[in-house]
């Protein structure tokens, strides 16, 4: 087992120990059910042939078909794919969705691919893994460097291979091809709903505006920022891969989005009182109420990183931006964390709505999507709060606890040691 998965599982074990869950049920989640590794041949535009490493992991399907994105990234590896599939398992259970967890990846630098090469990689991934993908078995979605267009190619390839039209084999499709309106903003908006739902347990009484520093200004970050401003909060600093921009009285988010769309970076933004720096990593040192991590994994890795923080709470919109080694130093520093499996659960929640839409053949309206997101985020946050109240656990451990209890209940429903042990 890889180091990354091993580290990720420590949080599950912490929850299981605190809640006295039966070992044999939790052990079932120690290893993935199925991981398929493949080599995808890519014919480059210049005629040369390259072999790309690729994976699909179905981590656990106790609660339903496995669900999770496919990322194209030069550093992706089997350990990362399995770790992210493990997190999807916990997230889908916490969000109350009838899905298990999965993840896929191709080890490739997407920036070096032409559009036609990207299409060949997307179709090659489906040819390699079609045997485990299916609307009732394993349902992939976009992730890093994949989006609606890649899903359109993948659904098409899957239809050719299976001999039937199966748009429901993937989510995150373009709306014109069976996608759902509201999927793109769902992760950012869901993160805001989660923050509001737990704000008093983070120590923010009342409903006054909070000062927020935000790392990452892509899909999730921009939609979170818009929702935050609509709710009366102030974004005092934003970073992306180009660097950092800050304004002590709050940034004009619509203008910042426009500048990023036009110039490709937040540091191109200017105006009265706006400061920029090429040191994007300094965002974690920004004095603020809430630091929102919406870019990368492993940003806060240990006690040294925790010492740099000047926030009162953290919201994890990226997957695993805080590593387990930093959990205790954060607790000692009194910094509460809204964990990734809750804070970014809005994305897979609306993927579920898309899957339901595909199964019924009936389209969802914008307000139905928004209501579903609100309800699911509130329900998950409430379940976590209830367990925190009952057990005194921190928010992350309680979130894992809610997920584990649901998975364990489903496993136990097919018989327990007490029943089988009767002989
Ligand atoms: N989009 C979703 O639905 C969704 C769902 C669940 C989790 N997530 C997670 O949220 C994170 C962001 O996803 P996204 O869809 O917004 O991706 P994205 O590619 O749209 O945006 C990523 C952003 O991070 C920035 N970034 C990259 N390196 C950086 C660095 N060193 N410092 C600061 N910023 C940096 C990029 O400039 C960009 O603004 C990822 O970890 C992703 O796995 C996204």
């Amino acid at each position: 087992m890889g180091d990354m998965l091993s580290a990720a599982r420590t949080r599950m074990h912490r929850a299981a120990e605190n809640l006295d869950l039966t070992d044999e049920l939790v052990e079932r989640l120690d290893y993935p059910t199925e991981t398929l590794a493949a080599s995808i041949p890519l014919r480059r535009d210049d005629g040369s042939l390259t072999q790309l490493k690729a994976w699909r992991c179905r981590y656990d399907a106790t609660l339903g078909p496995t669900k999770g994105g496919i990322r194209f990234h030069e550093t992706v590896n089997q350990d990362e794919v399995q770790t992210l599939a493990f997190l999807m398992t916990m997230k889908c259970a916490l969000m109350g969705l009838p899905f298990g967890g999965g993840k896929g990846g191709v080890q490739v630098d997407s920036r070096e691919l032409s559009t036609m090469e990207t299409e060949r990689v997307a179709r090659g991934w489906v040819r390699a893994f079609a045997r485990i993908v299916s609307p009732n078995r394993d349902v992939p979605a976009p992730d890093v460097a994949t989006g609606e267009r890649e899903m359109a190619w993948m659904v098409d390839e899957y239809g050719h291979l299976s001999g039937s039209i199966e748009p429901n084999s993937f989510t995150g499709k373009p709306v014109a091809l069976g996608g759902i309106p509201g999927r793109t903003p769902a992760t950012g908006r869901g993160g805001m709903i989660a923050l509001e739902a737990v704000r008093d347990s983070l120590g923010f009484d009342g409903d006054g505006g909070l000062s927020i520093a935000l790392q990452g200004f892509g899909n999730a970050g921009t939609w979170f920022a818009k929702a935050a401003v609509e709710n009366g909060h102030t974004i005092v600093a934003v970073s992306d891969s180009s660097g950092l921009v800050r304004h002590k009285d709050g940034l004009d988010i619509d203008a910042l989005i426009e500048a990023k769309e036009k110039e490709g970076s937040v540091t191109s933004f200017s105006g009265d009182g706006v400061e920029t720096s090429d040191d994007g990593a300094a965002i974690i040192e920004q004095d603020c109420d809430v630091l929102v991590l919406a870019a990368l994994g492993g940003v806060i890795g240990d006690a040294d990183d925790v010492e740099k923080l000047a926030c009162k709470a953290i919201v994890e919109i990226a997957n695993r931006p805080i590593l387990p080694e930093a959990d205790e130093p954060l607790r000692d520093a009194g910094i509460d964390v809204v964990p990734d499996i809750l804070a970014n659960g809005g994305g897979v929640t609306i993927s579920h709505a898309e899957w339901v839409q595909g199964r019924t053949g009936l389209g969802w309206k914008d307000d139905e999507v928004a209501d579903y997101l609100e309800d699911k985020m509130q329900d998950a946050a409430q379940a976590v709060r209830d367990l925190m109240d009952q057990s005194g656990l921190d928010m992350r451990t309680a979130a894992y606890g809610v997920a584990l209890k649901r998975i364990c209940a489903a496993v136990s429903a097919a018989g327990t040691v007490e029943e089988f042990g009767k002989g």
Side-chain angles (χ1 to χ4, degrees), residues 71 91 143 183 187 215-221 239-241 260 294-296 317-319 344:
R71 60 176 53 182
K91 190 185 306 177
D143 196 76
R183 169 63 185 88
T187 303
Q215 181 185 56
F217 208 54
N219 170 17
S239 72
D240 69 2
S241 49
K260 167 113 183 171
L296 310 165
I317 289 192
N319 288 312
N344 72 27

Side-chain angles (χ1 to χ4, degrees), residues 238-313:
V238 170
S239 72
D240 69 2
S241 49
S242 72
L244 187 154
V245 57
R246 59 161 75 94
H247 191 302
K248 66 177 177 38
D249 300 328
L251 291 158
D252 177 341
I253 290 302
D254 286 336
L256 182 60
I257 290 172
E258 209 177 302
K260 167 113 183 171
E261 273 168 8
K262 219 154 128 196
E263 307 289 340
S265 67
V266 297
T267 46
S268 63
F269 189 56
S270 57
D272 258 5
V274 172
E275 294 169 43
T276 55
S277 149
D278 57 11
D279 182 11
I283 190 87
I284 68 168
E285 297 167 35
Q286 177 69 38
D287 191 9
C288 59
D289 291 321
V290 183
L291 173 66
V292 178
L293 302 172
L296 310 165
V299 177
I300 297 172
D302 54 25
D304 291 345
D305 291 331
V306 173
E307 261 185 34
K308 295 181 194 158
L309 298 171
C311 59
K312 297 177 186 130

Side-chain angles (χ1 to χ4, degrees), residues 192-212:
M192 191 67 236
I193 297 170
L195 172 56
E196 298 288 11
V198 300
R199 64 174 281 161
D200 57 333
S201 47
L202 300 174
F204 302 119
D205 295 332
D207 57 4
L210 303 170
S211 64
I212 295 174

Side-chain angles (χ1 to χ4, degrees), residues 61-384:
T62 303
L63 297 179
T66 43
K67 189 88 195 76
I70 303 164
R71 60 176 53 182
F72 290 179
H73 198 269
E74 60 277 19
T75 63
V76 77
N77 57 43
Q78 182 164 312
D79 188 19
E80 184 182 36
V81 167
Q82 291 182 326
T83 304
L84 293 168
F86 165 79
L87 284 180
M88 285 303 296
T89 306
M90 295 295 138
K91 190 185 306 177
C92 290
L94 171 62
M95 297 312 300
L97 304 174
F99 286 142
K103 205 77 179 185
V106 180
Q107 201 178 80
V108 65
D109 185 346
S110 62
R111 292 162 303 187
E112 286 184 357
L113 298 176
S114 69
T115 305
M116 287 200 287
E117 288 170 341
T118 307
E119 179 173 3
R120 282 176 220 134
V121 175
R123 290 183 183 276
W125 190 93
V126 177
R127 285 195 295 279
F129 299 106
R131 76 191 87 159
I132 61 172
V133 168
S134 132
N136 294 315
R137 181 178 162 82
D138 180 43
V139 187
D143 196 76
V144 176
T146 59
E148 294 184 354
R149 190 183 55 176
E150 285 73 20
M151 296 305 111
W153 291 326
M154 287 181 167
V155 167
D156 183 64
E157 189 67 25
Y158 188 78
H160 286 299
L161 291 172
S162 66
S164 83
I165 311 302
E166 302 272 10
N168 217 23
S169 48
F170 291 78
T171 61
K173 301 177 292 292
V175 173
L177 281 175
I180 195 158
R183 169 63 185 88
T184 306
T187 303
R189 286 181 180 161
M192 191 67 236
I193 297 170
L195 172 56
E196 298 288 11
V198 300
R199 64 174 281 161
D200 57 333
S201 47
L202 300 174
F204 302 119
D205 295 332
D207 57 4
L210 303 170
S211 64
I212 295 174
L214 172 63
Q215 181 185 56
F217 208 54
N219 170 17
T222 51
W223 284 103
F224 177 89
K226 273 168 170 280
V229 171
E230 274 166 26
N231 282 16
H233 305 299
T234 306
I235 310 281
V236 291
V238 170
S239 72
D240 69 2
S241 49
S242 72
L244 187 154
V245 57
R246 59 161 75 94
H247 191 302
K248 66 177 177 38
D249 300 328
L251 291 158
D252 177 341
I253 290 302
D254 286 336
L256 182 60
I257 290 172
E258 209 177 302
K260 167 113 183 171
E261 273 168 8
K262 219 154 128 196
E263 307 289 340
S265 67
V266 297
T267 46
S268 63
F269 189 56
S270 57
D272 258 5
V274 172
E275 294 169 43
T276 55
S277 149
D278 57 11
D279 182 11
I283 190 87
I284 68 168
E285 297 167 35
Q286 177 69 38
D287 191 9
C288 59
D289 291 321
V290 183
L291 173 66
V292 178
L293 302 172
L296 310 165
V299 177
I300 297 172
D302 54 25
D304 291 345
D305 291 331
V306 173
E307 261 185 34
K308 295 181 194 158
L309 298 171
C311 59
K312 297 177 186 130
I314 301 178
V315 177
E316 291 186 309
I317 289 192
N319 288 312
R320 47 180 299 283
I322 298 174
L323 302 184
E325 292 83 346
D327 288 350
E328 214 173 296
L330 281 167
R331 260 196 300 276
D332 294 345
I335 298 173
D336 289 323
V337 176
V338 185
D340 47 8
I341 61 170
L342 174 62
N344 72 27
V348 69
T349 298
I350 299 309
S351 290
H352 174 248
E354 181 179 337
W355 184 74
V356 171
Q357 172 180 271
R359 286 167 79 89
T360 60
L362 292 171
W364 286 40
K365 299 196 180 76
D366 287 358
D367 56 341
E368 291 172 319
V369 174
D371 289 349
Y372 187 61
L373 179 66
E374 179 78 32
D375 287 352
K376 289 302 243 184
M377 295 303 306
Q378 293 288 357
D379 287 354
Q382 191 57 49
V384 172

